[in-house]
Amino acid sequence: MTYHRTDLNGAAVGVGVSDKPDGLAKIEMPGCAATIWRRQLAPEFQAWINTLDPSHLPKARLVLRPQAVPDALSHLCNMAGMDEGAERTWLEDDISDLATRFAEMMRAPYLRLRLDAINTNACRKFHIDALYARLICTYRGTGTQYGVSRDGLDPDRVFTVATGAPIVMRGTLWPQNPPSGLLHRSPPIAGTGETRLVLVLDPIFDIEEDV
């Protein structure tokens, strides 16, 4: 695990970068505002997902137990008209694996799973999410952008997470002092013709409170 650190309010704010999936769990380390699993998707998969008609990309907003994710994904891909094959199987397996890992990291019995096919400037303003933590993985298109804000304004330096690399970020409900100042946004892509496929996972600790 390596860290990119920025001094903020006398504290070191770190973004941990690991070449192994277990490195995502380092989000619990003091001063670690986000963790990234640095990986590159297989060229065959990337070429397939990049050229897939956007109408065949799965879309969903669900709250479910982690063990229910595989069946849900299969249903979503069928609804989107996605052809069966090795690449679709890998996508379903990878999302299921990330869901299991994230739920275990957060010790959360449920997850909110969101799959979006985005071709607009959705969430283009830098912000921090009003929740405990969030995992984002962009399978197609430009990845999430992030940076540290010292004064509540947009970050001076903006970094872009690589396509296919999952990032876990603390939200405002994470017990931390002082706040990390780490902000993120969706990259502005309106008018470029680009369509992103983005997975978002949020931990749900009490299903009744989330209703």
Side-chain angles (χ1 to χ4, degrees):
M1 171 75 72
T2 58
Y3 287 93
H4 304 306
R5 289 197 177 276
T6 302
D7 289 332
L8 180 71
N9 298 330
V13 176
V15 176
V17 181
S18 175
D19 293 324
K20 297 181 179 180
D22 292 348
L24 292 173
K26 301 298 184 181
I27 189 69
E28 295 189 352
M29 292 182 62
C32 188
T35 54
I36 298 171
W37 173 14
R38 180 171 50 196
R39 65 172 184 175
Q40 186 173 2
L41 303 184
E44 297 82 4
F45 172 84
Q46 201 65 74
W48 171 78
I49 197 76
N50 286 351
T51 56
L52 201 63
D53 189 303
S55 65
H56 295 315
L57 296 174
K59 308 171 189 65
R61 292 172 183 254
L62 305 170
V63 174
L64 68 177
R65 292 187 179 274
Q67 56 267 35
V69 171
D71 286 344
L73 286 172
S74 178
H75 182 62
L76 291 170
C77 289
N78 286 338
M79 288 180 59
M82 182 182 286
D83 291 338
E84 295 186 3
E87 290 81 9
R88 168 178 159 171
T89 298
W90 185 89
L91 177 65
E92 293 180 10
D93 289 348
D94 191 66
I95 293 175
S96 299
D97 178 67
L98 288 177
T100 298
R101 289 180 182 276
F102 188 58
E104 290 176 351
M105 286 165 47
M106 298 290 108
R107 294 174 284 279
Y110 296 90
L111 293 173
R112 182 185 297 109
L113 182 151
R114 193 171 86 227
L115 274 169
D116 284 332
I118 302 170
N119 57 16
T120 65
N121 287 346
C123 297
R124 64 181 178 86
K125 294 185 178 180
F126 280 100
H127 65 283
I128 180 171
D129 297 309
L131 39 71
Y132 187 76
R134 171 167 283 177
L135 181 149
I136 302 176
C137 183
T138 303
Y139 289 96
R140 165 173 163 165
T142 308
T144 297
Q145 296 181 326
Y146 68 91
V148 175
S149 172
R150 300 175 183 274
D151 48 15
L153 301 177
D154 287 355
D156 293 329
R157 296 183 64 194
V158 176
F159 303 89
T160 302
V161 182
T163 303
I167 180 172
V168 174
M169 294 174 287
R170 296 179 178 183
T172 59
L173 300 185
W174 188 281
Q176 54 187 328
N177 188 26
S180 70
L182 186 79
L183 306 180
H184 68 279
R185 72 174 181 184
S186 295
I189 60 170
T192 66
E194 178 179 335
T195 298
R196 306 169 64 229
L197 177 62
V198 183
L199 167 71
V200 179
L201 297 174
D202 302 331
I204 302 296
F205 301 103
D206 189 331
I207 192 70
E208 294 183 357
E209 292 183 0
D210 191 67
V211 174

